[in-house]
Amino acid sequence: MTEQIIELTSQIQIPGFFITAEVSRKGAGVPCDIEDFLWEKLKLIEQGSNARKFVYQKRDWRIIFTFFPTNKVVDEKYALKNKVQFYKKDK
């Protein structure tokens, strides 16, 4: 079910944003109003909202959607960073 939500999200074309979905609670069946939810949140962003994370909660589902703008560098608080740790070998 989670894969279907992620695939559905990837197929919704919101101009200017890449959107990620994190399913934190699963419900029964795929919600049918996710696209409407995302377009409503885009309107909030266009009206000046600084929020980029929005939580969808209906019928036992809890999905966190994050809007990443495609025209600028990702804000530091949302950046995914690779961490590499080096160990010294004892000889």
Side-chain angles (χ1 to χ4, degrees), residues 14-17 38-52 54 67:
I14 303 287
F17 290 94
L38 294 175
W39 283 104
E40 287 173 18
K41 300 314 173 191
L42 176 63
K43 286 180 188 173
L44 290 176
I45 292 170
E46 290 173 341
Q47 293 170 357
S49 174
N50 290 325
R52 293 296 179 264
F54 300 96
F67 285 64

Side-chain angles (χ1 to χ4, degrees), residues 8-25:
L8 173 65
T9 303
S10 72
Q11 293 172 356
I12 300 169
Q13 299 297 312
I14 303 287
F17 290 94
F18 173 78
I19 301 172
T20 61
E22 175 189 345
V23 177
S24 60
R25 189 174 64 234

Side-chain angles (χ1 to χ4, degrees), residues 24-76:
S24 60
R25 189 174 64 234
K26 294 181 184 179
V30 176
C32 60
D33 58 347
I34 287 177
E35 185 168 3
D36 292 336
F37 175 83
L38 294 175
W39 283 104
E40 287 173 18
K41 300 314 173 191
L42 176 63
K43 286 180 188 173
L44 290 176
I45 292 170
E46 290 173 341
Q47 293 170 357
S49 174
N50 290 325
R52 293 296 179 264
K53 283 193 176 200
F54 300 96
V55 180
Y56 174 94
Q57 294 188 90
K58 288 187 182 175
R59 297 178 304 278
D60 295 329
W61 282 97
R62 186 173 191 279
I63 308 167
I64 303 164
F65 293 99
T66 305
F67 285 64
F68 292 98
T70 57
N71 64 347
K72 58 183 173 180
V73 176
V74 174
D75 190 306
E76 185 74 19

